[in-house]
Amino acid sequence: MTEEEIKRLKSGLLCLGCSATRETGESLVRDMPWFFERGFSHSVHTELFGSNIAISVSEHFSALSPYTLEKTDDGYFVTWSGGRAPISFFPRLPETGTVVDKLAKYHSRDCITLWPSSNCCYDRPGMKCRFCSLLPESDAPVPVEELAHGLELLYAKVPHSHALNFSGATYKNPDVMADYWIALTRRLREFYTGAISIEFAPPADLGKLREMKEAGVTNVIMNLEIADERLRSEICPGKGRITKAHYYEAYSRGVELFGRGQVSSVLIAGLQPYDDIVAECERMTAAGVFPTIMPFRPFDDSDLSQASMCDPDEYLRIAELLGEMLRKHGLAPHLMQGCTKCGGCSLENDCYYHHAPSSR
């Protein structure tokens, strides 16, 4: 396949998911019981022609996808009308006998991701982000010492070049959650020398960003998700109370502390106008912030489970434009860490490296 064909395939898989036969699903659970996403979406994390990709396989929309996941004697393949492509899964992490065994998994060959918090302060009546399907599985985040102990055992068995990426629900409020990340990072730096990337809502006290840097955080992800303030308040009624101006103040402080390209933010395609996303990407990249464009998917447990899916062609056009902006502003994916460097949930990294002659 050509590079353009591979990008189009990845766009389709990200937007539309992939069905799986019952036999294939049973094989996955038997062969790789760790394959499910430990987070807010049920996805398999794979490599497709050398690119990381997280493919939704267990949502209602997956059954309607033109793509099918199949197992053959030669391995696992994604098939569609007129073609098929081999995919490979990431290995299981070594067991530690701790809570880490239930939380940690590879998102790429050199990135380990964990969600230690599932109880969100915005998961309340009239406040939950309408695209979110995260369900609370515990009352509070995993205690810092318990999580750090497990990770210390894990990193005695895997290279420190494997980056750590943390995400999860915002416990109590963004400032309390920031304090948790600061305490956790300080403890991790007692034994871990690799990159630490953390995804969180910007705290009211932006001085906590400096505390995160001083604790040893490598780069930060603060997700705006929806560009227009009015639309944000409709789709993210709780989190939308954090103003866009405050986000950009946090971005500015973050770029000062962590450096250009070491601050990133997710925007969701398919829930907002094309022009809004493109304009926001222009603003972010000029400010040294790395946008990640994720396609909207109507997850079963979200309030938008019956909404229309993101159009793969439009999604690819946005990603191509963003790839140009990243090159223009010197924001290279390989210089990032964690989720942003992985690129498994989005397409801009592929468009940065394998760009069309002109996307405009």
Side-chain angles (χ1 to χ4, degrees), residues 28-294:
L28 279 170
V29 172
R30 182 177 61 252
D31 298 345
M32 290 165 284
W34 65 92
F35 81 99
F36 273 115
E37 164 79 23
R38 283 157 189 163
F40 73 92
S41 63
H42 290 157
S43 304
V44 289
H45 286 259
T46 70
E47 280 187 325
L48 175 74
F49 294 111
S51 177
N52 302 320
I53 181 170
I55 309 173
S56 295
V57 296
S58 299
E59 307 289 340
H60 73 279
F61 63 82
S62 304
L64 306 176
S65 173
Y67 305 99
T68 303
L69 181 63
E70 295 181 352
K71 183 182 181 183
T72 73
D73 292 340
D74 297 322
Y76 287 92
F77 290 82
V78 170
T79 65
W80 64 97
S81 177
R84 76 171 192 164
I87 62 171
S88 58
F89 296 84
F90 302 117
R92 182 176 224 155
L93 285 164
E95 293 190 2
T96 65
T98 72
V99 68
V100 165
D101 297 342
K102 296 181 179 181
L103 294 177
K105 69 175 294 181
Y106 280 114
H107 270 205
S108 64
R109 293 198 176 275
D110 60 358
C111 178
I112 296 171
T113 295
L114 301 92
W115 288 58
S117 172
S118 63
N119 190 318
C120 187
C121 64
Y122 304 121
D123 188 3
R124 306 290 184 269
M127 293 182 66
K128 187 170 184 175
C129 295
R130 299 186 66 209
F131 51 76
C132 182
S133 63
L134 180 65
L135 300 175
E137 296 180 353
S138 61
D139 292 334
V142 177
V144 165
E145 185 55 40
E146 183 180 354
L147 184 57
H149 171 66
L151 286 169
E152 187 167 13
L153 295 176
L154 177 63
Y155 274 91
K157 301 178 180 182
V158 300
H160 281 223
S161 58
H162 287 12
L164 273 172
N165 186 86
F166 293 99
S167 187
T170 303
Y171 179 63
K172 289 191 175 179
N173 61 59
D175 291 68
V176 168
M177 201 67 219
D179 288 338
Y180 175 85
W181 297 128
I182 291 164
L184 176 63
T185 304
R186 285 175 178 156
R187 177 66 178 86
L188 295 176
R189 287 306 183 198
E190 294 178 12
F191 62 86
Y192 173 63
T193 61
I196 297 176
S197 175
I198 300 181
E199 187 172 2
F200 59 97
D205 178 6
L206 294 181
K208 293 185 185 295
L209 297 179
R210 181 172 294 279
E211 292 183 56
M212 294 178 102
K213 173 66 175 179
E214 292 173 348
V217 173
T218 308
N219 62 299
V220 295
I221 306 169
M222 295 177 280
N223 298 330
L224 183 64
E225 279 128 359
I226 305 297
D228 179 74
E229 289 269 41
R230 180 194 58 79
L231 190 57
R232 275 186 75 234
S233 68
E234 294 177 6
I235 296 176
C236 307
K239 191 178 177 184
R241 296 176 184 177
I242 306 174
T243 67
K244 189 172 175 180
H246 188 69
Y247 268 90
Y248 271 88
E249 178 61 25
Y251 295 153
S252 178
R253 297 271 192 99
V255 170
E256 289 176 7
L257 290 165
F258 298 94
R260 287 181 59 83
Q262 300 308 311
V263 178
S264 57
S265 177
V266 166
L267 294 167
I268 301 176
L271 283 182
Q272 56 192 314
Y274 172 94
D275 290 342
D276 284 5
I277 295 183
V278 172
E280 208 63 43
C281 286
E282 291 272 17
R283 182 180 179 185
M284 286 184 178
T285 53
V289 177
F290 193 117
T292 294
I293 310 301
M294 293 179 62

